[in-house]
Amino acid sequence: MGLFQGLSLLLGLLLNLVFHCNGGTTSVFVRNVEKAIDMPLDSDVFAVPSGYNAPQQVHITQGDLVGKAVIVSWVTEDEPGSNTVRYWRESSKRKKLAKGKIVTYRFFNYTSGFIHHATIRNLEYDTKYYYEVGLENTTRKFWFTTPPEIGPDVPYTFGLIGDLGQSYDSNMTLSHYELNARKGQTVLFVGDLSYADNYPNHDNVRWDTWGRFAERSVAYQPWIWTVGNHEIDFAPEIGETKPFKPFSHRYRTPYKASQSTSPFWYSIKRASAHIIVLASYSAYGKYTPQYKWLEQELPKVNRTETPWLIVLMHSPWYNSYNYHYMEGETMRVMYEPWFVKYKVDVVYAGHVHAYERSERVSNVAYNIVNGICTPIKDESAPVYITIGDGGNLEGLATNMTEPQPAYSAFREASFGHAIFDIKNRTHAHYSWHRNQDGENVEGDSLWFFNRFWHPFDDSSAHVSH
Ligand SMILES: [Fe+2]
């Protein structure tokens, strides 16, 4: 080796060291640590629809594996009322009927209204449907559009919202999402809905207000539900020992369609995406139902049919804030080798009330005695995105691990939402939108190259300051 080559090697090693010691960008936007404030009960966004027993808290989610069914849910307060959904194609006058079930529950001193769930099946792809619930003069009408038939190059746009709550900031996040010109067609919600459990006795009235608040979006496009810690509602001090009780009664998921045995972990296919929802607060160790399900689910993903493999969970694996630091670590240890093996494109999580995007990294070599425990760049690994910045009453996470770890590409403590805009089998445009800017301003963005069809480096992030 000549002197020049030796120097080059040394320089290369030094550059490498510099790279590994420095993380990505910590945004220059610095927010005051202020608690977000919940909107009062008499806010217009919580208004009860007029009329006796009028349906309220209307929401829809995907009702099958492939997007040809929709679960419609709503609440009536005075009496059970009709449990039938009437629906029809935009181009047709003939109304069809779908009948559902009614459930109620008690939580300490709270008694729920009559919660209706009805599944509409055998819908046509890529079609606008109207639907109505309620009776006579309190009938309420909504609409949704079914996704196109599943296929590798079908464009589709997902919104990403997490940890939403019902503060003034939550309202701003939802409005920004609704006004975003990229037009999200389905929301991938990464957990923590109402934050009712922050109220005395988990005041479930705040589950009702959240249902009325979110209706303006979720009655018209499906939200795909992930459960967070605020859905656990475990309160033995008031005799409430059954986890997930309010959430389970109010929100449904199509888990049986993907052979899951629990509503908290399941998968759906939609357009060109295969979406796997995992449960951070259900057992995930070896031999558990969730582990066994995921072990069977991943080999089923057909990337020639659905090239985009997206995973949703609540507690992030790669998080460099000093909030919930390492809470996702045990699940990471269990499942990360699979995510690398099956080339998951992106993992969305919430929980930390801020925004962060990782490099493509993995950390799967550690075996207790070998000491190899640093995340490394890995083109087969997903990008990890924390999008728990919906704006709930607990306020922003502003305190970060310093220096920024090498796995962290971009982080900023602002409320906002994101859009994952799939163009075809190889490309998807991702953008994050902070609430302080106009809804179309991209605070962070990245072109995703599909890991299966285009397994090379993503374009470097374009960051706006
Ligand atoms: Fe959380």
Side-chain angles (χ1 to χ4, degrees):
M1 185 186 293
L3 182 64
F4 179 72
Q5 283 159 309
L7 279 174
S8 301
L9 187 68
L10 190 65
L11 191 66
L13 282 173
L14 278 173
L15 282 172
N16 205 29
L17 202 66
V18 167
F19 172 79
H20 281 292
C21 291
N22 282 330
T25 307
T26 298
S27 174
V28 293
F29 283 81
V30 177
R31 310 284 175 215
N32 292 330
V33 187
E34 275 177 19
K35 268 208 148 203
I37 298 167
D38 266 1
M39 296 178 282
L41 291 174
D42 60 359
S43 303
D44 57 352
V45 296
F46 297 149
V48 176
S50 61
Y52 174 74
N53 209 38
Q56 55 168 279
Q57 307 175 48
V58 179
H59 53 92
I60 63 171
T61 194
Q62 184 161 320
D64 67 353
L65 190 63
V66 296
K68 293 183 79 174
V70 167
I71 304 171
V72 181
S73 305
W74 70 99
V75 177
T76 52
E77 285 293 343
D78 306 308
E79 57 174 277
S82 165
N83 196 34
T84 300
V85 181
R86 296 173 295 280
Y87 65 99
W88 63 98
R89 283 170 48 186
E90 187 182 28
S91 54
S92 160
K93 289 260 178 302
R94 201 167 70 85
K95 293 184 181 179
K96 293 183 178 176
L97 305 177
K99 268 202 172 314
K101 291 201 171 84
I102 300 175
V103 294
T104 61
Y105 73 94
R106 291 184 59 82
F107 194 96
F108 189 53
N109 59 1
Y110 168 93
T111 304
S112 76
F114 301 93
I115 304 166
H116 304 244
H117 302 286
T119 304
I120 307 176
R121 297 188 187 280
N122 301 316
L123 296 166
E124 287 175 37
Y125 282 122
D126 209 7
T127 302
K128 183 173 179 180
Y129 286 87
Y130 289 97
Y131 70 98
E132 54 186 31
V133 288
L135 289 168
E136 291 156 14
N137 61 343
T138 54
T139 294
R140 298 186 66 210
K141 185 167 104 178
F142 306 88
W143 59 86
F144 59 79
T145 302
T146 52
E149 185 169 5
I150 289 165
D153 290 305
V154 179
Y156 204 75
T157 306
F158 292 99
L160 281 310
I161 300 177
D163 302 69
L164 184 57
Q166 46 191 303
S167 76
Y168 292 99
D169 296 284
S170 322
N171 196 25
M172 192 182 289
T173 302
L174 188 55
S175 296
H176 272 230
Y177 170 63
E178 292 171 304
L179 294 168
N180 194 314
R182 288 191 180 270
K183 296 239 168 290
Q185 296 168 285
T186 290
V187 169
L188 305 178
F189 190 85
V190 294
D192 284 359
L193 286 67
S194 75
Y195 289 75
D197 60 346
N198 277 343
Y199 285 83
N201 302 322
H202 297 220
D203 187 358
N204 274 225
V205 167
R206 282 286 175 173
W207 272 105
D208 291 312
T209 53
W210 195 84
R212 296 198 292 272
F213 158 57
E215 182 190 271
R216 71 181 196 240
S217 173
V218 68
Y220 298 93
Q221 60 172 252
W223 286 30
I224 306 304
W225 302 111
T226 313
V227 288
N229 53 305
H230 288 279
E231 277 68 71
I232 301 174
D233 278 309
F234 176 68
E237 67 280 9
I238 51 173
E240 293 298 343
T241 55
K242 186 158 174 34
F244 307 108
K245 189 183 191 182
F247 175 84
S248 298
H249 284 84
R250 292 167 181 274
Y251 294 90
R252 288 285 143 97
T253 64
Y255 65 97
K256 287 178 185 161
S258 56
Q259 283 78 52
S260 168
T261 50
S262 161
F264 310 133
W265 61 87
Y266 60 99
S267 73
I268 59 162
K269 299 192 256 189
R270 202 165 177 88
S272 46
H274 188 118
I275 296 155
I276 292 177
V277 179
L278 294 181
S280 297
Y281 306 101
S282 302
Y284 46 77
K286 202 163 182 178
Y287 317 117
T288 62
Q290 185 170 201
Y291 182 100
K292 288 190 165 182
W293 176 81
L294 185 59
E295 188 178 33
Q296 297 194 352
E297 172 70 11
L298 284 165
K300 287 187 202 165
V301 179
N302 178 356
R303 304 292 277 274
T304 57
E305 180 194 47
T306 50
W308 294 95
L309 179 51
I310 301 169
V311 176
L312 312 180
M313 61 179 66
H314 186 63
S315 190
W317 294 356
Y318 287 95
N319 154 41
S320 74
Y321 288 83
N322 288 324
Y323 300 81
H324 307 305
Y325 186 63
M326 287 184 73
E327 278 183 27
E329 188 64 6
T330 45
M331 188 194 249
R332 184 190 70 74
V333 170
M334 292 311 300
Y335 294 156
E336 190 181 21
W338 289 348
F339 283 21
V340 175
K341 179 181 175 189
Y342 291 99
K343 294 187 166 58
V344 172
D345 290 291
V346 57
V347 176
Y348 291 107
H351 203 35
V352 178
H353 302 157
Y355 173 71
E356 185 163 24
R357 173 174 57 80
S358 81
E359 303 285 354
R360 289 196 183 275
V361 289
S362 69
N363 188 3
V364 294
Y366 182 55
N367 69 356
I368 296 187
V369 291
N370 67 8
I372 303 171
C373 57
T374 306
I376 55 162
K377 284 238 183 191
D378 186 342
E379 289 302 330
S380 294
V383 172
Y384 294 89
I385 291 174
T386 303
I387 189 78
D389 55 350
N392 67 75
L393 79 170
E394 292 178 353
L396 273 176
T398 52
N399 196 331
M400 303 170 186
T401 303
E402 300 291 356
Q404 185 169 12
Y407 62 74
S408 174
F410 181 78
R411 56 186 188 176
E412 179 179 322
S414 298
F415 293 135
H417 74 279
I419 299 277
F420 191 68
D421 186 0
I422 297 172
K423 304 294 187 189
N424 52 39
R425 77 183 68 192
T426 55
H427 286 71
H429 184 269
Y430 167 80
S431 54
W432 173 68
H433 305 264
R434 66 172 78 81
N435 285 357
Q436 283 79 3
D437 291 327
E439 59 275 354
N440 295 325
V441 175
E442 298 179 348
D444 180 36
S445 68
L446 185 72
W447 275 102
F448 273 75
F449 296 161
N450 186 278
R451 286 301 100 179
F452 182 81
W453 288 99
H454 199 319
F456 308 114
D457 207 357
D458 300 293
S459 73
S460 54
H462 166 76
V463 179
S464 326
H465 293 289

